[in-house]
Amino acid sequence: MRQLLPLLLLTLLATAAAAEDGGWTTKHEKGRCAIKGQCGKQSFFGSDLPCPNNTLAEQPEDEMRQRLVNICGQKWSEGPVCCQSDQLGALTSNLKRAETIISSCPACKDNFFNLFCTFTCSPDQSLFVNVTDIGTSTSKKPVITELDILVSDDYGSGFYDSCKDVKFSTSNAMDFIGGGAKNYTAFLKFLGDKKFLGSPFQINFPRPDEAEYEHMEAMDNVPKQCNDTDTSYRCSCVDCPAVCPELPEVTEVKRCYVGALPCFSFAVILIYAVFILLLVGAVSGHVAYQKHHQRKSERLRLLQDAAPSDDEDEGDVVHNAGMMDRPQKNYYLNTVFDNAFSRLGSVCARYPAIMICVSIVIVGLLSLGWINFAVETDPVRLWVSPTSAAADEKAFFDSNFGPFFRAEQAFLVNDTTSAGPAPVLSYDTLAWWFDVENRVQRLMSADGLTLDDVCFKPTETACVVQSLTGYFGGSFGNVSPRTWQKDLRDCTDSPVNCLPEFQQPLQKEMILGGWEETGDVIDSKALIVTWVVNNYAEGTKEAERAAIWEASLKSTLQAVQGEAIDRGLRLSFSTEISLEQELNKSTNTDAKIVVISYIIMFIYASLALGSTTLAARSILHNPANALVQSKFTLGVIGIVIVLMSVSASVGLFSAVGIPVTLIIAEVIPFLVLAVGVDNIFLIVHEFERVNTSHPDEAIEDRVAKALGRMGPSILLSASTETIAFALGAAVGMPAVKNFAVYAAGAVFINAVLQVTMFVSFLALNQRRVEASRADCFPCIRVRRADSANANGGQLFASEDEGALQKFIRKTYAPALLGRSVKVMVVVIFLALFTAGLALIPKVSLGLDQRIALPSDSYLIPYFNDLDAYFDTGPPVYFVTRKLNVTERHRQQQLCGRFSTCNTFSLANVLEQERKRPEISYIAEPAASWIDDYFGWLNPMLEKCCVENGKVCFEGREPPWNVTLYGMPEGEEFIDYLQKWIESPTGEECPLAGKAQYGNALVIDSENKTIPASHFRSSHSPLRSQSDFIDAYASARRISDSINEHNPGVEIFPYSKFYVFFDQYASIVRLTVTLLGSALALILIISSILLGSIWTGAVVTATVIMIVVDIIGAMAVVGVSLNALSLVNLVICVGIGVEFCAHIARAFMFPSRNVMERGKNKFRGRDARAWTALVNVGGSVLSGITITKLLGVFVLAFTRSKIFEIYYFRIWLALVIFASTHALIFLPVALSFLGGDGYIDPGSDGGLEEDLASRRYRGMLADDDDDSDGY
């Protein structure tokens, strides 16, 4: 008790003195202290606290002086100080902890050390330090618990500016030393706040105020700048933007606009408008001239005798004006092909059994290749050329660093009410979610695996689980019902103070979403959790085990979805295997729709083909004729031939090792059916005409005539299509290349089988018909059938033409070829073409993966939440390849935190690019292993590099320094590097390499080199397909720039999504090249086979218009350009040719029989255009158009968005545009610009042929006299 009285009295006196002066420091003058020495702790676990001491500064002992100089620098080598030896120990410990983080920037380090050295030891301490509160230590001594330090604004801001951009590994050092402060006052507050592992007492940094602190002076040392003129203090570019090189300005491709329209679109529309004005002027002038000429003629006739002369032609002598201009010359090449196909048809008709058997044997042999049948589903091997840079880089990355981690991610969202998204966080929700994560932690798969067995462990002890539960140590017991909101805010503001078990800061953008509107994380609308699982090479046992555990996780999270609904919340999630599983489910759904579509097309084709000669009058007269005249079996044979050609193509190319893709399986039958059915219809229709015109000839001769006429037409379409498709084989992208190969093979084989096997069946079918045997049951003879009708006689032949053919001949063709109608057609179709061209710039690139999923997939809400709430971009790696980093100049080409690093080194360039994320799409500082490695060697970090109990580089000459002079090279570099990469990362040595860089570099100890390493950063959030494409292009630009400025360095960027977006770097160029080459070949081949470059040009122009209109439609209906749509555009070229080729050939080689039926006033090209429409227009309409429409409409019922968008929409546009262009625009264009025609060899048979054709005309009802006039 007696001992306490003096202490109590001293305390009371001190309190009274402090009250009078406003603090415990009563005197503020130069040479006087405010604190001095350590007076003990306030608790057993507390830190030593300084003593209040307002005495004069004193000279230290020599040993203490040396310690002070070693810590704080040479300027403390003389003069009195206000600190004692025991204080230097705490000062040294605290400064070394900070030095670990800021040592890379000498200016920041010097300012940091200077602040605390001056505060602790300055002889003028009392001028800027004022003790405001004291307490009592466990030894009953007064200790300081709170004080004020006056720091000038200039020094405070200079100090903060020197440190604000300093990097510590992949994070900002300010997050560690300043709590993420955004200004110097917040920085100083964080340094002064009393906290664990921080200041043991409260330090306040009030703003200097002369009135309040009249006897004090603010600490006003001159701070070192990070770009200081003294090179010994200058920081590197990574830590100081002011010393960074100025990167060259990126010249963005700026699109030209006129108002809201792209310049290209505006120019196209302007050209069309000028064309319309010129056309209107020309038509107006022509009409005016005609009226003037008519009035002049009328006046002349009034002066003449009105009675007609006996010599005048009254116009009724010329029965058919078109025949006056029929072609009079032969085309040698066409004659050769006509004769060749005639001979082929004759052989097939004479020996049908042999030809059929040979065809079946050949197809069977080719189909043996199905043994090697394989379907390629791996997206990488589908969309990336194996010889492309992206494929090579992915293979290099996977082989050296292992496949990218497997990510399992979940979003807990509160948006189930009509009011919209609301905050998701509450104490009860947190309690439930902690339990959910604990269940996942304990989850055991079918083969006994837990999360701990499969997860990624950078510290080898704890799994990486990115969740807000990590802020609370993964235990709900650490969540206080009263303070959880404050604790969560503190952790998100300073993640370094709330490290999870895996010891990496959790950024709030990765674990919470939807808080940006208010800026308060408590208002977050989504809670985000990511479990990171190790990945392995495809097909390995480890990868299978990981997939099994993911299946268990999926089941668990599906159960949790129900719990979330009960709480008024919604859970969406995805596992690594989810996307592949859902895509396969989508494919199975698509397969059913595709099969149904094909079945409907098969049935229609068979029925339509079988009804070509079933005349209503014939059936009414004798229904038994239907049993004989039906061609259903022939239609089925045609469909079987289509399937055989597909089978043979698949077998052939499977045998040579070209895998089938889902595109091939879904598209090739559609393509071959479109081409094949049309050819079958043409052959059958022509054969029926020959049957009618030459009923007395042998079947072999009739088949020969029909094939001789249609064979060259089939050759034209098949050759152009085959070559156009074959061009795609030169493309590196496997999905396009494989499709092109299979399509070319199937189309070619189908054409061969049609002119051989089908023709043989056609001959057999005609023999059955003439033998009055029933269709489908040829063994049964229909005795009541009319024999005359069966063999193509005259009895009811007038009905053979059919309603469609009669409509085209009598109504459609004459109306279409009227002068005013032709002008309107040109105007309308050029308007469509103009619109298509104008819309081309609006076609976007990409393929949203949500489109590839079934409409009811559980992944769609997940991807929506990912876009809406996940505000972090994917990681990106800049990979070095075969770089000998043991050499100094190579080290300088990579590093960024040392003064001799190259100006445009990898680390410096990445740091500069990070500062313009709107261009670079780089958001985070790069994890530079070489900088952290050299930093780890710093002897000031006593707990890091230790050899045989001695700190590395301690006492070394030359010493560790920021110039890299004397740093390890060669074998020594490798030796220390191996120790660093095995050194565990922890609080004592955060620069150790094991956790951060354990898989970031490959060390070749034998050859003393680094074959591969990577520098990790991350992209800014990527929301759209264009963002992903631009981010990939930007990463390419950055790596190219680094390689250019650092000769001998090979660096490439890698991110998991790059391989899928590599196609967009060249897809526009590839599309133009592929389509342009195909169209050029179409022009050449069609011009040669048709014998006219003008007609070939018209056909090519029509196909161009079809393709352009389809591309314009893609922009309107939301179809992006990607490999899938590119394949469809190639199909559009092929089928566009199919629609146009037959009409073009019928125009160039008009059938005399058909032309002579045209009792109209058409002359020249108009007459031949009319003939072409009448001859093959019906086949094009019924053979392709209707067949395709039926099949396409079925696709509208698919549940798969990818089929609905990329197949239904494009194919519907194809059928509409191709059929209208072929049946409307092409005849009109040919009537204007078509080349001179040639004699059709099939209808040029001399007197016999002329008599036959006259008999054919005589069998037709003469009902055209009143209806066919022009």
Side-chain angles (χ1 to χ4, degrees):
M1 184 69 179
R2 290 177 181 176
Q3 294 175 346
L4 291 175
L5 287 175
L7 180 62
L8 180 60
L9 181 61
L10 177 62
T11 303
L12 291 173
L13 292 173
T15 303
E20 291 180 3
D21 193 59
W24 296 93
T25 308
T26 58
K27 295 182 179 180
H28 300 281
E29 61 184 10
K30 286 188 175 183
R32 187 171 293 277
C33 305
I35 61 175
K36 185 188 293 184
Q38 303 278 26
C39 285
K41 307 175 181 179
Q42 285 191 303
S43 67
F44 179 79
F45 296 102
S47 301
D48 285 321
L49 299 176
C51 308
N53 191 318
N54 203 201
T55 62
L56 296 174
E58 300 174 348
Q59 290 286 345
E61 297 179 358
D62 291 343
E63 181 184 354
M64 178 183 165
R65 173 78 70 184
Q66 186 59 45
R67 289 180 62 196
L68 180 59
V69 170
N70 290 341
I71 297 170
C72 297
Q74 195 63 35
K75 69 178 182 179
W76 297 92
S77 61
E78 59 183 21
V81 295
C82 282
C83 56
Q84 296 180 352
S85 181
D86 54 355
Q87 287 178 274
L88 293 185
L91 178 65
T92 301
S93 176
N94 292 329
L95 290 180
K96 282 188 176 295
R97 189 183 300 125
E99 185 179 26
T100 304
I101 300 170
I102 61 176
S103 60
S104 63
C105 181
C108 175
K109 174 192 167 185
D110 184 79
N111 291 333
F112 195 97
F113 277 45
N114 186 50
L115 172 69
F116 286 97
C117 286
T118 302
F119 157 62
T120 305
C121 297
S122 171
D124 303 324
Q125 192 183 67
S126 64
L127 287 178
F128 53 84
V129 175
N130 184 49
V131 179
T132 58
D133 196 9
I134 63 171
T136 304
S137 69
T138 56
S139 60
K140 313 305 180 186
K141 294 182 180 180
V143 291
I144 294 174
T145 58
E146 186 173 1
L147 55 79
D148 293 340
I149 300 179
L150 297 187
V151 176
S152 69
D153 291 335
D154 290 341
Y155 182 75
S157 60
F159 176 28
Y160 172 77
D161 289 341
S162 70
C163 295
K164 66 181 180 181
D165 294 305
V166 175
K167 304 300 178 298
F168 177 66
S169 190
T170 59
S171 304
N172 285 318
M174 189 58 65
D175 293 339
F176 296 87
I177 65 172
K182 303 301 182 185
N183 52 61
Y184 78 91
T185 56
F187 179 30
L188 294 176
K189 180 182 183 304
F190 181 85
L191 291 174
D193 284 345
K194 179 182 178 181
K195 55 182 171 293
F196 178 68
L197 294 179
S199 177
F201 55 94
Q202 181 63 37
I203 302 175
N204 302 313
F205 291 90
R207 295 298 86 233
D209 188 320
E210 293 183 3
E212 186 176 354
Y213 304 99
E214 57 179 333
H215 300 297
M216 298 177 66
E217 296 178 6
M219 184 193 302
D220 196 21
N221 298 335
V222 178
K224 300 297 182 183
Q225 299 177 352
C226 66
N227 63 336
D228 206 278
T229 54
D230 187 343
T231 56
S232 60
Y233 293 104
R234 186 177 300 168
C235 304
S236 65
C237 167
V238 173
D239 298 323
C240 180
V243 302
C244 287
E246 185 176 349
L247 295 180
E249 185 177 348
V250 177
T251 54
E252 295 184 76
V253 179
K254 295 183 178 179
R255 293 184 176 178
C256 172
Y257 281 88
V258 177
L261 283 177
C263 290
F264 175 78
S265 304
F266 178 80
V268 169
I269 295 172
L270 183 63
I271 292 172
Y272 178 74
V274 171
F275 167 76
I276 292 298
L277 290 176
L278 292 176
L279 181 64
V280 169
V283 171
S284 301
H286 178 72
V287 170
Y289 174 77
Q290 288 291 93
K291 289 182 177 179
H292 172 73
H293 181 72
Q294 183 179 7
R295 287 195 297 268
K296 183 178 179 181
S297 299
E298 289 175 352
R299 287 195 299 270
L300 290 174
R301 278 199 296 269
L302 290 174
L303 300 175
Q304 298 173 358
D305 184 5
S309 170
D310 294 338
D311 298 330
E312 289 181 339
D313 183 4
E314 296 182 6
D316 57 348
V317 176
V318 180
H319 183 69
N320 187 348
M323 288 299 293
M324 296 175 62
D325 296 324
R326 67 177 181 176
Q328 301 296 322
K329 59 181 179 178
N330 287 299
Y331 182 47
Y332 174 76
L333 193 59
N334 182 72
T335 303
V336 170
F337 286 133
D338 185 281
N339 294 334
F341 279 106
S342 295
R343 287 193 293 271
L344 177 62
S346 179
V347 171
C348 292
R350 279 192 170 86
Y351 311 104
I354 296 176
M355 190 61 68
I356 292 169
C357 291
V358 170
S359 299
I360 293 174
V361 169
I362 293 175
V363 170
L365 291 174
L366 292 175
S367 298
L368 290 176
W370 279 79
I371 297 173
N372 295 329
F373 179 81
V375 178
E376 184 60 79
T377 58
D378 184 354
V380 175
R381 289 194 287 267
L382 276 177
W383 307 118
V384 182
S385 169
T387 59
S388 70
D392 176 63
E393 291 160 1
K394 182 182 186 303
F396 182 86
F397 187 92
D398 290 350
S399 63
N400 285 281
F401 310 115
F404 197 78
F405 302 114
R406 305 172 76 95
E408 335 294 340
Q409 194 170 57
F411 287 81
L412 184 66
V413 183
N414 184 8
D415 64 354
T416 58
T417 64
S418 58
V424 70
L425 298 178
S426 69
Y427 185 76
D428 290 340
T429 299
L430 288 179
W432 169 68
W433 188 255
F434 270 82
D435 177 65
V436 170
E437 289 196 22
N438 286 332
R439 275 184 270 166
V440 173
Q441 193 81 25
R442 300 189 304 268
L443 175 66
M444 186 173 291
S445 66
D447 56 353
L449 293 177
T450 64
L451 175 63
D452 193 65
D453 297 319
V454 298
C455 72
F456 171 57
K457 300 177 183 177
T459 60
E460 295 189 345
T461 57
C463 295
V464 174
V465 179
Q466 296 171 335
S467 169
L468 94 170
T469 60
Y471 286 152
F472 302 95
S475 173
F476 187 67
N478 297 328
V479 182
S480 168
R482 289 175 295 134
T483 64
W484 71 269
Q485 293 181 332
K486 178 181 180 302
D487 295 340
L488 181 58
R489 290 190 183 101
D490 291 343
C491 287
T492 55
D493 289 341
S494 182
V496 70
N497 293 330
C498 305
L499 292 178
E501 293 181 349
F502 61 92
Q503 297 299 302
Q504 297 295 318
L506 288 168
Q507 301 299 327
K508 58 186 176 183
E509 292 83 3
M510 300 189 70
I511 59 176
L512 295 168
W515 51 266
E516 295 82 3
E517 185 175 339
T518 64
D520 188 354
V521 293
I522 303 302
D523 296 330
S524 298
K525 298 175 178 61
L527 186 155
I528 309 166
V529 182
T530 306
W531 295 272
V532 182
V533 175
N534 283 318
N535 203 0
Y536 304 91
E538 184 180 353
T540 60
K541 184 178 180 181
E542 291 84 355
E544 293 178 4
R545 296 176 68 191
I548 292 173
W549 183 85
E550 287 170 348
S552 301
L553 176 65
K554 175 183 174 182
S555 300
T556 300
L557 292 180
Q558 285 175 331
V560 173
Q561 282 182 322
E563 299 175 24
I565 293 174
D566 294 338
R567 292 175 171 273
L569 304 173
R570 177 177 59 80
L571 180 75
S572 64
F573 71 92
S574 171
T575 68
E576 188 71 18
I577 59 173
S578 294
L579 185 59
E580 182 178 347
Q581 290 176 340
E582 290 297 288
L583 288 176
N584 289 338
K585 186 171 78 174
S586 174
T587 300
N588 294 335
T589 302
D590 295 339
K592 298 174 185 176
I593 294 294
V594 171
V595 169
I596 293 173
S597 173
Y598 289 152
I599 289 174
I600 289 177
M601 287 190 288
F602 291 166
I603 293 174
Y604 164 77
S606 299
L607 292 175
L609 192 63
S611 63
T612 53
T613 53
L614 288 178
R617 188 184 302 180
S618 173
I619 296 174
L620 292 175
H621 171 77
N622 187 354
N625 289 337
L627 298 175
V628 175
Q629 289 295 323
S630 169
K631 293 183 179 62
F632 184 81
T633 302
L634 196 60
V636 172
I637 294 297
I639 301 304
V640 170
I641 287 176
V642 169
L643 299 178
M644 288 174 64
S645 64
V646 173
S647 175
S649 180
V650 171
L652 172 63
F653 296 112
S654 293
V656 297
I658 300 177
V660 174
T661 66
L662 294 177
I663 294 179
I664 292 173
E666 294 162 347
V667 174
I668 295 293
F670 178 92
L671 173 65
V672 179
L673 191 65
V675 175
V677 169
D678 185 43
N679 291 340
I680 290 172
F681 270 74
L682 287 169
I683 293 173
V684 171
H685 287 170
E686 185 60 28
F687 183 66
E688 292 304 322
R689 291 191 185 98
V690 175
N691 275 341
T692 304
S693 60
H694 302 78
D696 299 329
E697 291 189 5
I699 293 176
E700 294 83 355
D701 296 334
R702 281 180 270 160
V703 170
K705 287 182 181 294
L707 188 59
R709 174 159 179 78
M710 286 294 111
S713 186
I714 295 173
L715 175 66
L716 170 62
S717 62
S719 59
T720 51
E721 291 157 5
T722 301
I723 295 175
F725 291 139
L727 280 175
V731 176
M733 194 183 301
V736 178
K737 179 178 182 177
N738 294 6
F739 160 78
V741 170
Y742 277 90
V747 169
F748 176 76
I749 295 172
N750 182 67
V752 172
L753 290 178
Q754 284 173 336
V755 297
T756 54
M757 185 176 176
F758 181 78
V759 169
S760 299
F761 273 108
L762 182 65
L764 290 177
N765 182 74
Q766 187 60 28
R767 292 177 184 176
R768 173 194 63 78
V769 171
E770 295 185 6
S772 298
R773 295 186 178 275
D775 188 24
C776 300
F777 304 97
C779 296
I780 302 174
R781 184 181 181 85
V782 183
R783 302 184 183 277
R784 295 186 58 188
D786 297 328
S787 58
N789 193 36
N791 63 15
Q794 303 179 21
L795 190 56
F796 296 104
S798 61
E799 291 293 330
D800 275 356
E801 188 177 21
L804 176 61
Q805 290 291 103
K806 183 177 292 185
F807 169 76
I808 293 174
R809 179 173 62 85
K810 294 178 59 180
T811 306
Y812 175 73
L816 177 66
L817 296 172
R819 292 178 182 174
S820 57
V821 174
K822 289 199 297 182
V823 173
M824 289 181 60
V825 166
V826 171
V827 170
I828 292 172
F829 278 84
L830 286 181
L832 285 174
F833 181 62
T834 301
L837 287 173
L839 288 168
I840 286 178
K842 298 295 184 180
V843 177
S844 59
L845 303 181
L847 174 59
D848 191 331
Q849 51 195 340
R850 284 171 288 195
I851 293 175
L853 298 170
S855 55
D856 58 350
S857 171
Y858 70 90
L859 287 183
I860 292 179
Y862 164 77
F863 284 121
N864 292 336
D865 291 337
L866 188 69
D867 281 350
Y869 299 115
F870 196 59
D871 201 29
T872 301
V876 54
Y877 301 85
F878 288 85
V879 183
T880 67
R881 176 156 38 188
K882 299 177 182 178
L883 188 66
N884 187 5
V885 193
T886 64
E887 299 174 355
R888 176 73 70 234
H889 73 286
R890 297 301 186 196
Q891 297 166 2
Q892 293 167 333
Q893 288 175 326
L894 298 182
C895 70
R897 295 179 186 165
F898 296 86
S899 59
T900 58
C901 296
N902 287 5
T903 303
F904 289 96
S905 68
L906 185 149
N908 282 342
V909 170
L910 291 183
E911 177 59 21
Q912 284 298 83
E913 292 288 359
R914 182 185 68 86
K915 295 167 185 173
R916 51 180 189 183
E918 70 284 353
I919 295 174
S920 68
Y921 293 88
I922 301 294
E924 296 293 334
S928 174
W929 65 264
I930 193 166
D931 288 308
D932 285 356
Y933 164 55
F934 283 140
W936 175 78
L937 294 173
N938 189 346
M940 293 291 288
L941 309 179
E942 297 176 348
K943 301 295 185 180
C944 287
C945 184
V946 179
E947 285 185 298
N948 302 320
K950 182 182 177 182
V951 177
C952 303
F953 278 66
E954 190 174 51
R956 177 176 171 130
E957 287 298 331
W960 188 97
N961 58 85
V962 295
T963 66
L964 290 182
Y965 179 64
M967 288 293 187
E969 293 183 86
E971 185 173 349
E972 185 185 34
F973 180 91
I974 295 294
D975 291 341
Y976 277 115
L977 186 65
Q978 288 178 320
K979 294 174 184 176
W980 171 72
I981 206 68
E982 293 297 329
S983 178
T985 307
E987 184 179 327
E988 292 184 341
C989 185
L991 289 180
K994 191 166 190 176
Q996 278 274 68
Y997 303 105
N999 64 347
L1001 64 162
V1002 178
I1003 303 173
D1004 185 351
S1005 303
E1006 183 177 346
N1007 296 312
K1008 308 301 179 185
T1009 187
I1010 311 296
S1013 70
H1014 68 61
F1015 293 69
R1016 186 185 72 253
S1017 181
S1018 69
H1019 282 299
S1020 53
L1022 307 177
R1023 305 295 188 194
S1024 64
Q1025 293 290 292
S1026 61
D1027 284 346
F1028 281 97
I1029 295 169
D1030 293 342
Y1032 174 59
S1034 177
R1036 284 285 179 201
R1037 174 188 59 78
I1038 293 170
S1039 63
D1040 291 343
S1041 173
I1042 295 170
N1043 292 333
E1044 181 182 348
H1045 285 98
N1046 298 277
V1049 172
E1050 183 182 358
I1051 293 170
F1052 66 84
Y1054 175 79
S1055 190
K1056 190 176 182 180
F1057 72 88
Y1058 283 178
V1059 290
F1060 304 111
F1061 286 85
D1062 179 69
Q1063 58 177 293
Y1064 302 110
S1066 59
I1067 196 164
V1068 173
R1069 183 175 65 254
L1070 178 62
T1071 301
V1072 173
T1073 302
L1074 198 57
L1075 298 183
S1077 301
L1079 292 167
L1081 284 173
I1082 289 171
L1083 173 62
I1084 294 171
I1085 295 172
S1086 59
S1087 298
I1088 293 173
L1089 294 182
L1090 293 176
S1092 169
I1093 192 171
W1094 282 103
T1095 303
V1098 170
V1099 170
T1100 305
T1102 304
V1103 176
I1104 290 174
M1105 293 174 68
I1106 293 171
V1107 174
V1108 168
D1109 289 349
I1110 292 171
I1111 295 175
M1114 287 169 55
V1116 173
V1117 300
V1119 179
S1120 301
L1121 179 61
N1122 49 52
L1124 200 58
S1125 50
L1126 174 56
V1127 168
N1128 278 321
L1129 287 176
V1130 175
I1131 290 176
C1132 292
V1133 173
I1135 295 184
V1137 171
E1138 181 67 25
F1139 270 96
C1140 298
H1142 303 300
I1143 290 179
R1145 189 180 182 281
F1147 171 83
M1148 290 301 298
F1149 304 95
S1151 170
R1152 187 176 66 179
N1153 297 338
V1154 176
M1155 182 176 281
E1156 288 183 347
R1157 297 180 63 185
K1159 301 175 183 178
N1160 48 55
K1161 298 180 181 178
F1162 291 129
R1163 300 285 299 271
R1165 295 190 186 93
D1166 287 343
R1168 286 189 284 129
W1170 179 90
T1171 303
L1173 273 175
V1174 173
N1175 193 17
V1176 298
S1179 298
V1180 171
L1181 181 62
S1182 58
I1184 306 182
T1185 309
I1186 298 177
T1187 305
K1188 294 300 119 220
L1189 279 177
L1190 291 173
V1192 167
F1193 278 133
V1194 175
L1195 297 180
F1197 299 98
T1198 180
R1199 289 166 47 210
S1200 170
K1201 290 293 291 182
I1202 197 167
F1203 248 74
E1204 190 265 323
I1205 292 174
Y1206 286 95
Y1207 291 96
F1208 172 71
R1209 295 182 186 179
I1210 292 183
W1211 288 356
L1212 181 61
L1214 167 62
V1215 173
I1216 293 173
F1217 286 123
S1219 60
T1220 52
H1221 277 76
L1223 296 173
I1224 301 175
F1225 176 77
L1226 180 60
V1228 171
L1230 290 173
S1231 71
F1232 283 123
L1233 301 171
D1236 295 334
Y1238 299 97
I1239 296 173
D1240 179 22
S1243 59
D1244 187 28
L1247 179 60
E1248 181 183 359
E1249 182 70 31
D1250 186 62
L1251 292 174
S1253 65
R1254 290 176 182 272
R1255 178 170 56 185
Y1256 169 64
R1257 294 195 305 274
M1259 290 186 289
L1260 298 176
D1262 192 14
D1263 59 350
D1264 299 333
D1265 293 333
D1266 299 327
S1267 59
D1268 280 0
Y1270 179 44

